[in-house]
Amino acid sequence: MEQYLRTQVEILADVRNRMRDGSSARWTDVEIYRGLNDALLTWHGRVGVPHVYSIPGGWVAGQYAYTLPTYINANTCTPQMRRVADGYIRYLTNDDTWEDVPGWRIEPDSSNNRVMRFDVSPYSTDARILWYGFNGPVPTTVPVLNATIAADATSLVLTGAVDCGDYGWVKVDSEWIQYAGVTRASTTTLTNLVRGCTGGGAAASHTNGVNVTFGVAFPKTELFRVLLDQMFVFLHELYLADGSPRELTHHQQMIGFYTDRVAAFWRNWTPIRQPRIIIDRRFML
């Protein structure tokens, strides 16, 4: 499924243009980014972003339990195995087939890790898990690379402690990079990188000190409009604490206007469901 991505910097510029606040007279960058993160929280449970996790080494015949990374949303998982279609079906499709693995559950182990357990072990083959996640927060300032990375690097380090989601997308120069997993210490490491993804520039090396802008993923383009509307609600609410009586009236009216637009959108919103693959009898074990 195609993902539409916008960087935090692009969203910041859109907000300033639409609110006619190019000189930052009304809201600081930090306030706008906080408004963005508050708006993204309202998407949780409504807007899922599809991800794929490839099981290292694939499924192994006779193995019934697989530990999952902590960032995977266990409530939206679909384990799958690769099956190469042969004969007549192979002739028609000329493609490999992924099918759902039945009879599984997720439960904690003795170390409180999440483990996917199968009633019947899948045979040895390539393995993946389809899962849906939510957009996490973007940092309130744009971080930079702590060290140069090569075109084939599978992790990158950001200078300082960065408040960000456990998975998502970043843009470095013209390259979009997907990450899954974060190590937080005096610096912040993004791991399991997928390089040159989602229509951006090809994988390339990037130098120490270059900006790393975090992205927001949109499974449907119309979500961008409602994201801005929800941000405007939160931004106008900032003036309710200390605005003059005249300002209070204006901002209350703007809050009501944008709240109504947001509510109208969600009334007609059809959530994207977890992908399902229909298997007929020719593909049964």
Side-chain angles (χ1 to χ4, degrees), residues 43-208:
W43 284 18
H44 287 205
R46 283 177 167 147
V47 180
V49 182
H51 296 266
V52 177
Y53 170 67
S54 296
I55 303 293
W59 306 126
V60 178
Q63 182 174 336
Y64 294 84
Y66 297 81
T67 301
L68 300 182
T70 57
Y71 56 79
I72 286 183
N73 186 341
N75 296 320
T76 63
C77 288
T78 300
Q80 293 192 324
M81 58 186 176
R82 186 193 295 275
R83 238 180 136 177
V84 178
D86 294 318
Y88 180 66
I89 302 303
R90 177 70 177 180
Y91 177 78
L92 289 179
T93 64
N94 195 29
D95 196 8
D96 291 343
T97 300
W98 288 91
E99 63 181 50
D100 294 354
V101 182
W104 58 273
R105 62 193 180 278
I106 294 176
E107 56 191 28
D109 64 10
S110 58
S111 301
N112 209 30
N113 297 314
R114 290 179 302 170
V115 176
M116 177 172 283
R117 299 187 187 278
F118 293 95
D119 297 329
V120 178
S121 170
Y123 58 80
S124 296
T125 184
D126 292 343
R128 71 182 186 184
I129 294 176
L130 305 183
W131 61 284
Y132 272 68
F134 304 122
N135 281 286
V138 303
T140 54
T141 57
V142 177
V144 299
L145 276 180
N146 183 261
T148 296
I149 62 170
D152 59 352
T154 57
S155 65
L156 62 83
V157 182
L158 305 174
T159 299
V162 177
D163 184 16
C164 61
D166 290 336
Y167 49 85
W169 287 265
V170 294
K171 193 173 187 180
V172 187
D173 295 323
S174 62
E175 180 189 357
W176 275 108
I177 302 173
Q178 186 177 18
Y179 71 93
V182 180
T183 301
R184 296 175 171 87
S186 57
T187 58
T188 304
T189 303
L190 309 183
T191 58
N192 300 308
L193 303 184
V194 178
R195 307 296 303 274
C197 62
T198 317
S205 60
H206 303 285
T207 59
N208 177 31

